[in-house]
């Protein structure tokens, strides 16, 4: 391909733009829709992942089972050493931070009281403020923030909980649970922060690990989960494999990685001779949500591909028409020495310009649409929006591979549509072409 | 006068014909809120007395025995009225069949209409809730709230204070017209809803009031039993008022606690067929 061919193709494309405008508009709309759908879906997925990783203690979580369904880490120092080894190995895996949590699940037993008002929580989490501060700071705090490092009197609650109780930062909330021994126990905490969340992840209260262990009547150093927050969550599978290997190197009995929900529930209840450790990935914890988002993406993608098919047919028809109309021009170019491949290239380049035009304009409009939605539209809280959005807004994401994929699809459709007509143009006999009458 | 001095002369049988419930019901109800706040639960007994496990058992057994019916079945109609200040008042009525000899009870809900046919079945330590819509039994805990009221599922079982608690403190107190012994109790095992209690027992060994505390000493609820009905040598608490110490609303500038009133009607010690204490019974009646 030489510069002359490129210039000629561009000149022809601009000259015939009126003819291509319907196709161009269609391509722009499809690329815009693809960009918006992909950016939205990836944004929803990332928002859920961020919330879920805080909720589940990390992108990877080490659990220790004996078969009774509940996890306990009996050798937290060895597990912590295995976590540290992730960053120190031959192929280091960068960590954001890690967590060492005490957890309490009982939907019927966790009650919070304030001035006669009460609400229930799905679970209570005992964290170490110092250790998880980088992640907890990502909470969208409506008021207050993460407590001082050793503060055992503080509690973080969600906006949903605060609304139920009519409570504010600085107020004292009474928490009642049934302890691990089954006894009703209570403790008072000062509300240090109220994070914006009213979805599935919102009915969780965070206190210091030592404070929760006291409330639970559990030994002070009890650790139920050790989690790892990765810098790049795409490394999840590799990191999980490395972590299990590091735990084995520490001499811990390890049963492996739980990479789906079924394995997770099976391993929790499988009878064992002694305590064994495993790693569950965030992907496994979110498999249902990921499946839902994946299904929506596939359906939306299929509709877009259908539209792309229609565009391909449109391009094909248009180019067939163009080639027929420009037969004399083809003949002249061939008579002046242009090769068959050059003729084919000329028409394909015009289709390439059409595709690229659609990608640039459609991509730009798609990004502008996403940015506009994020900036100007705040969705009312409901079951869907609170789960998938951040502060009621769409936190869209569009990585490079996404943009390249959309560009490839649009340009590919355009080139494929033009291919048959371009090949036919290359096959035109110059003599007959010069005698061609329209 | 110490506990032992006063109880040395206490008659071992209930004074027949005495109808304490009818006398000072209002006084006890008033005592729910009007009594001075008791000393912290963990405080030393005012008389400095200490109680062995055997003494605790003997004292608490007397209170248990009056309201436990191991020799016969028991049935009655219950009406539970839940008063939520500033909100609605709800009413639940049900029939209770109890067989203390088997540590069993069956509850069949009649009102509200949408819950008609729901039932509870307790057999020893197992408790199930039957949902006639889903036609399914689910395991529930004895310490769970009964139908979202201030009562707990365990409140409808026989009294087992002597088995569950030991006395760690004792004082005396005038509760309305009743001279009462006030005992601080601590659970001896973990299978109770509240690990600490304070109970007021009158001169006839009837529990007139009790307060439930969490392990850390938080006052959770207060229960008053102003009325008992005597049937032969047994007593049936026919009016129970439970005050939730944590739930309530400010109404007209005053904090009002959530209350649960339980009225017991038509108590009977007639024998109940065995099949009443089966899951099949709840399924058939629920359908």
């Amino acid at each position: 391909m030489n510069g002359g061919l490129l210039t000629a193709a561009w000149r022809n494309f601009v000259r015939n733009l009126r003819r291509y405008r319907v196709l161009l508009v269609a391509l722009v709309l499809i690329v815009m829709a693809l960009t918006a759908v992909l950016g939205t879906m990836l944004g929803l997925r990332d928002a859920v992942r961020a919330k879920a990783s805080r909720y589940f203690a990390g992108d990877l979580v080490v659990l220790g089972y004996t078969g009774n369904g509940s996890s306990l880490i009996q050798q937290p120092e060895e597990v912590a050493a295995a976590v540290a080894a992730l960053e120190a190995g031959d192929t280091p895996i960068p960590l954001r931070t890690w967590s060492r949590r005490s957890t309490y699940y009982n939907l019927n037993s966790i009650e919070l009281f304030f001035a006669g008002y009460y609400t229930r929580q799905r679970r209570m989490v005992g964290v170490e403020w110092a250790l998880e501060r980088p992640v907890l700071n990502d909470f969208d705090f409506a008021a207050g923030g993460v407590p001082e490092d050793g503060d055992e009197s503080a509690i973080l609650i969600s906006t949903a909980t605060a609304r139920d109780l009519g409570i504010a930062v600085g107020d004292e909330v009474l928490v009642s649970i049934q302890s691990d021994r089954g006894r009703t126990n209570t403790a008072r905490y000062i509300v240090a922060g109220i994070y914006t969340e009213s979805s599935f992840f919102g009915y969780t209260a965070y206190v210091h690990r030592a404070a929760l262990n006291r409330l639970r009547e559990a030994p002070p150093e009890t650790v139920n989960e050790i989690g790892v927050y990765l810098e790049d969550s795409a490394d999840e599978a590799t990191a999980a494999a490395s972590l299990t290997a590091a735990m084995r190197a520490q001499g811990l009995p390890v049963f492996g990685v739980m990479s789906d929900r079924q394995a997770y529930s099976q391993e929790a209840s499988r009878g064992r001779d002694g305590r064994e450790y495993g790693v569950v990935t965030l992907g496994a914890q979110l498999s249902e949500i990921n499946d839902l988002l994946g299904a929506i993406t596939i359906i939306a993608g299929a509709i877009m591909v259908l539209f792309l098919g229609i565009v391909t047919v449109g391009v094909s028809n248009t180019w067939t028409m163009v080639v027929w109309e420009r037969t004399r021009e083809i003949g002249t170019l061939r008579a002046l020495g242009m090769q068959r491949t050059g003729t084919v290239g000329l028409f394909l380049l015009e289709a390439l310009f059409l595709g690229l035009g659609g990608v640039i304009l459609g991509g730009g409009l798609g990004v502008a649409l996403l940015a506009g939605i994020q900036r100007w539209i705040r969705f009312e809280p409901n079951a869907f929006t609170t789960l998938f959005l951040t502060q009621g807004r769409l936190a869209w994401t569009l990585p490079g591979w996404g943009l390249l994929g959309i560009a490839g699809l649009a340009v590919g459709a355009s080139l494929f549509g033009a291919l048959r007509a371009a090949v036919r143009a290359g096959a035109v006999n110059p003599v007959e072409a010069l005698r061609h009458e329209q | 006068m110490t506990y032992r001095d006063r109880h040395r002369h206490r008659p071992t049988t209930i004074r027949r014909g005495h109808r304490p419930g009818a006398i000072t019901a209002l006084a006890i109800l008033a005592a729910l809120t009007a009594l001075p706040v008791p000393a912290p639960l963990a405080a030393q007994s005012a008389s400095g007395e200490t109680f062995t496990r055997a003494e605790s058992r003997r004292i608490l057994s007397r209170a248990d025995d009056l309201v436990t019916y191991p020799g016969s079945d028991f049935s009655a109609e219950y009406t539970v009225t839940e008063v939520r200040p500033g909100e609605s008042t709800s009413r639940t009525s049900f029939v209770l069949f109890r067989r203390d000899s088997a540590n069993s009870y069956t509850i069949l809900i009649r009102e509200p209409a949408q819950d008609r046919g729901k039932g509870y079945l307790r057999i020893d330590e197992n408790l199930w809730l039957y949902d006639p819509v889903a036609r399914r039994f689910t395991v529930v805990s004895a310490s769970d709230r009964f139908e979202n009221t201030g009562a707990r599922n365990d409140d409808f079982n026989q009294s087992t204070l002597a088995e569950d608690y030991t006395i760690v403190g004792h004082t005396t107190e005038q509760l309305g017209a009743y001279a009462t012994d006030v005992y601080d109790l601590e659970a001896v095992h973990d299978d109770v809803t509240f690990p600490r209690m304070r109970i007021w027992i009158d001169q006839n060994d009837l529990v007139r009031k009790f307060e439930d505390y969490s392990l850390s000493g938080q006052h959770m609820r207060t229960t008053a039993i102003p009325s008992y009905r005597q049937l032969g040598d047994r007593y049936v608490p026919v009016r129970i008022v439970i005050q939730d110490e944590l739930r309530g609303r400010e109404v007209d500038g005053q904090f009002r606690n959530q209350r649960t009133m339980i009225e017991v009607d038509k108590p009977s010690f007639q024998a109940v067929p065995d099949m009443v204490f089966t899951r099949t019974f709840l399924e058939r009646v629920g359908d």
Side-chain angles (χ1 to χ4, degrees):
Chain A
M1 187 188 301
N2 56 42
L5 192 62
L6 206 62
T7 308
W10 173 251
R11 198 178 56 232
N12 284 340
F13 175 70
V14 173
R15 201 170 59 199
N16 290 293
L17 203 54
R18 278 176 67 86
R19 187 191 295 277
Y20 300 147
R21 68 179 188 277
V22 174
L23 281 174
L24 186 62
V25 167
L27 257 179
V28 166
L29 288 176
I30 287 168
V31 170
M32 185 177 78
L34 274 173
T35 306
V37 167
L38 189 67
T40 301
M41 288 303 161
L42 292 177
L44 300 185
R45 192 200 62 181
D46 286 358
V48 174
R49 277 193 71 93
K51 292 176 185 189
S53 67
R54 277 194 298 266
Y55 182 84
F56 290 117
D59 298 301
L60 307 173
V61 183
V62 178
L63 300 165
Y65 290 129
T66 56
N68 65 358
S70 55
S71 166
L72 178 70
I73 308 293
Q74 270 181 329
Q75 291 130 300
E77 287 177 9
E78 285 85 345
V79 176
V83 169
L86 284 179
E87 284 188 301
D90 294 336
T91 49
I93 295 168
L95 307 185
R96 198 166 170 218
T97 186
W98 61 291
S99 64
R100 193 163 44 193
R101 290 184 171 185
S102 166
T103 48
Y104 180 84
Y105 296 83
N106 191 333
L107 183 59
N108 292 322
S109 136
I110 309 170
E111 293 182 305
L112 271 58
F113 298 91
F114 176 69
Y117 290 80
Y118 61 95
T119 189
R120 282 185 175 170
Q121 301 286 283
R122 183 173 281 110
R123 64 184 218 148
M124 281 191 80
V125 177
V127 302
E128 292 174 47
W129 305 124
L131 207 54
E132 290 198 60
R133 185 174 298 281
V135 174
L136 297 178
N137 274 338
D138 285 349
F139 269 132
D140 169 30
F141 281 104
V146 181
E148 295 297 317
D149 285 357
D151 192 344
E152 295 182 15
S153 66
I155 187 168
L156 296 181
I157 58 172
S158 69
T159 42
T161 305
R163 189 177 55 243
D164 289 349
L165 295 176
I167 201 168
V169 166
D171 288 333
E172 189 179 67
V173 63
L174 179 80
V175 178
S176 170
I177 67 165
Q178 272 192 315
S179 74
D180 291 3
R181 291 178 58 181
R183 310 197 288 185
T184 303
N185 200 9
T186 52
R188 291 180 182 275
Y189 302 103
I190 307 291
V191 177
I194 298 173
Y195 62 91
T196 305
E197 191 60 74
S198 56
S199 71
F200 173 82
F201 302 117
Y203 292 91
T204 300
Y206 295 82
V207 295
H208 195 279
R209 182 164 65 89
L212 181 59
N213 285 339
R214 268 197 304 278
L215 184 62
R216 288 175 52 192
E217 290 194 86
E221 293 305 318
T222 297
V223 175
N224 298 101
E225 302 169 350
I226 288 183
V228 175
Y229 295 93
L230 301 170
E231 282 288 0
D232 182 2
S233 58
D235 292 342
E236 194 178 272
T238 313
S242 301
L243 186 54
T244 50
M247 286 198 295
R248 284 195 182 96
Q250 289 292 324
L252 293 167
V254 177
F255 62 79
V257 178
M258 296 165 277
S259 50
D260 58 56
R261 293 285 296 178
Q262 196 180 2
Y264 186 17
S265 55
Q266 279 174 352
E267 291 294 352
S269 54
R270 186 162 65 83
R272 302 166 198 281
D273 293 334
R275 192 166 297 278
E276 290 181 334
Y277 296 94
V279 176
V280 64
T281 61
L282 191 59
Q285 312 248 38
L286 294 178
S287 56
E288 285 92 348
I289 291 174
N290 283 339
D291 288 349
L292 173 71
L293 289 176
I296 295 171
T297 309
I298 287 169
I299 291 167
I303 294 169
M304 296 304 147
V305 168
L306 186 70
F307 278 114
L308 270 178
I310 294 168
V311 167
T312 306
V313 172
V315 169
S316 177
N317 289 338
T318 306
W319 252 249
T320 303
M321 203 57 201
V322 164
V323 167
W324 186 77
E325 286 174 1
R326 287 164 57 187
T327 303
R328 285 173 67 88
E329 180 190 330
I330 295 166
T332 306
L333 290 171
R334 291 293 311 277
L336 289 172
M338 180 179 270
Q339 298 298 309
R340 285 177 190 274
T341 51
T343 312
V344 173
L346 183 73
F347 282 93
L348 286 180
L349 276 173
E350 287 182 43
L352 177 72
F353 290 137
L354 177 74
L356 286 177
V359 167
I360 292 165
L361 291 173
L365 284 173
V367 168
L369 178 70
L370 289 170
I373 291 171
Q374 184 180 33
R375 184 177 172 83
W376 288 301
I377 300 179
R378 189 183 177 99
F379 293 89
E380 288 299 313
N382 59 45
F384 181 86
T385 58
T386 52
L387 181 62
F388 291 105
L389 303 184
T390 306
Q391 300 173 254
R393 295 185 190 279
L394 173 68
W396 60 277
T397 307
L398 208 53
W401 62 261
L403 276 174
L404 282 175
I406 291 170
L409 269 177
V411 171
S414 183
L415 288 174
F416 185 69
L419 187 61
R420 193 168 66 101
V423 170
R424 192 172 288 172
V428 166
N429 183 314
V431 177
E432 286 182 10
L434 286 170
R435 292 178 58 247
H436 177 77
E437 288 182 13
Q438 290 181 15
Chain B
M1 188 182 222
T2 66
Y3 158 81
R4 286 182 181 77
D5 293 335
R6 292 197 304 105
H7 282 256
R8 192 172 296 145
H9 307 294
R10 177 177 285 188
T12 52
T13 55
I14 300 295
R15 282 172 283 174
R16 310 278 168 138
H18 180 52
R19 296 289 302 278
I23 301 171
T24 51
L26 285 174
I28 290 189
L29 278 176
L32 267 174
T33 50
L35 278 177
V37 178
L41 196 68
Q44 185 78 26
S45 167
S47 59
E49 296 167 88
T50 54
F51 293 82
T52 63
R53 181 81 184 100
E55 286 172 322
S56 290
R57 270 185 175 279
R58 196 172 62 247
I59 295 164
L60 298 175
S61 288
R62 280 203 292 264
D64 284 339
D65 291 347
L66 290 177
V67 291
T68 305
Y69 325 114
S72 64
D73 292 336
F74 170 74
S75 61
E77 295 177 9
Y78 281 65
T79 304
V80 180
T81 307
E82 186 73 8
V83 181
R84 297 183 180 89
E87 296 177 53
S88 61
T89 295
S90 65
R91 213 173 87 108
T92 304
S93 74
F94 61 89
V95 182
L96 170 79
F97 302 97
R98 214 172 88 188
R99 180 170 285 173
D100 291 350
S101 59
N103 194 22
S104 301
Y105 71 64
T106 295
I107 287 174
L108 198 58
I109 293 181
R110 303 199 300 190
E111 280 185 59
Q114 69 265 24
D115 288 337
R116 191 193 303 266
K118 258 173 88 173
Y120 291 80
L121 173 63
R122 180 186 176 117
I123 298 175
D124 209 9
E125 297 305 317
N126 304 307
L127 182 62
W128 295 275
L129 166 66
Y130 177 67
D131 178 359
V133 178
R135 296 186 175 191
R136 201 171 58 188
F137 284 90
T138 49
V139 175
V140 291
S141 165
S143 59
D144 286 351
R145 297 160 68 82
F146 174 76
E147 295 295 298
N148 205 26
T149 68
R152 307 278 176 157
N153 293 332
D154 208 28
D155 291 339
F156 303 105
N157 201 24
Q158 60 183 306
S159 177
T160 52
L161 289 170
E163 276 180 39
D164 298 337
Y165 293 93
T166 189
I167 298 172
V168 295
H170 169 245
T171 56
T172 57
E173 196 171 280
Q174 190 68 25
L175 184 68
Y178 299 110
T180 58
D181 290 291
V182 185
Y183 298 103
D184 291 338
L185 310 181
E186 273 185 13
V188 294
H189 57 77
D190 296 338
D191 298 328
V192 292
T193 306
F194 297 103
R196 296 179 178 191
M197 283 180 80
R198 172 171 284 168
I199 61 170
W200 281 252
I201 298 180
D202 72 10
Q203 299 299 299
N204 295 310
D205 291 320
L206 290 168
V207 175
R208 288 294 171 181
K209 177 183 168 183
F210 56 90
E211 293 175 345
D212 298 310
Y213 292 85
S214 72
L215 185 67
S216 61
Q218 173 67 45
H219 188 182
M220 305 294 284
R221 64 174 195 168
T222 303
T223 303
I225 310 174
S227 303
Y228 283 90
R229 184 163 163 194
Q230 188 175 2
L231 294 170
D233 60 351
R234 289 165 293 194
Y235 282 78
V236 177
V238 290
R239 190 160 185 228
I240 302 162
V241 181
I242 300 168
Q243 176 168 289
D244 193 316
E245 299 298 338
L246 301 176
R247 291 171 170 81
R249 288 286 186 282
E250 200 163 289
V251 179
D252 299 330
Q254 193 179 359
F255 187 81
R256 297 185 191 281
N257 295 77
Q258 198 163 306
R259 284 191 178 192
T260 308
M261 264 93 77
I262 303 175
E263 306 276 349
V264 182
D265 197 21
K266 300 179 187 168
S268 164
F269 292 108
Q270 294 288 320
V272 174
D274 291 347
M275 76 96 60
V276 169
F277 303 101
T278 62
R279 290 162 63 129
T280 311
F281 174 74
L282 283 178
E283 284 170 334
R284 284 186 186 165
V285 176
D287 291 346

